[in-house]
Amino acid sequence: MGEWLAATIRRLLEEKYGGNVPGVRRISADIKAVCDGQTISHGHIHNILSGEADNLTDRTRALLAKFFGKPLTAFHPPRDEDENENETVQALAARFATLDARQVAAIKQAIEIVTRDK
């Protein structure tokens, strides 16, 4: 994710600053100004831009989203569709495992209703 994230943030900075991207200390100060006093350290911004940051915390992702005016999903790397589908199936299976027999029966009935004509 490091290289993808670095390229994404560099592109967004180019767009935001019109090609005249300031240093990491100024970027950190600008984030603070936009994000109600919360910021990302200039060291972490450096790590993000150099590709050394392999992941983001939810807090950092939220600050970047607010700063750039983008949805949180803009700071998640694109995923392989097969991987997404498998994760969706696994998440549903985990949720279904917590349901009682009556709830499972209701879900089965609902699936039959929506797939009847397909």
Side-chain angles (χ1 to χ4, degrees):
M1 177 168 153
E3 289 303 318
W4 174 87
L5 179 61
T8 298
I9 298 300
R10 276 192 233 107
R11 179 181 50 79
L12 291 171
L13 287 169
E14 291 283 333
E15 290 173 10
K16 184 168 188 73
Y17 292 102
N20 191 16
V21 178
V24 293
R25 290 181 189 272
R26 167 72 189 277
I27 295 168
S28 180
D30 289 351
I31 291 170
K32 184 176 184 177
V34 171
C35 296
D36 305 317
Q38 295 184 52
T39 193
I40 301 168
S41 73
H42 65 275
H44 191 42
I45 293 169
H46 169 79
N47 289 342
I48 291 169
L49 291 173
S50 67
E52 295 175 28
D54 290 329
N55 59 10
L56 296 177
T57 64
D58 289 342
R59 177 187 173 278
T60 299
R61 188 173 285 111
L63 291 174
L64 289 171
K66 185 170 184 176
F67 179 66
F68 289 114
K70 301 289 183 187
L72 291 172
T73 56
F75 303 97
H76 289 281
R79 298 184 128 189
D80 181 17
E81 286 186 30
D82 291 339
E83 183 180 334
N84 282 340
E85 185 175 321
N86 187 44
E87 285 181 12
T88 300
V89 170
Q90 293 299 321
L92 283 170
R95 174 68 177 108
F96 290 168
T98 67
L99 302 176
D100 63 33
R102 184 183 52 79
Q103 292 169 315
V104 172
I107 290 170
K108 286 179 181 178
Q109 184 178 5
I111 290 170
E112 288 175 19
I113 291 168
V114 299
T115 59
R116 195 172 288 151
D117 295 328
K118 292 183 181 182

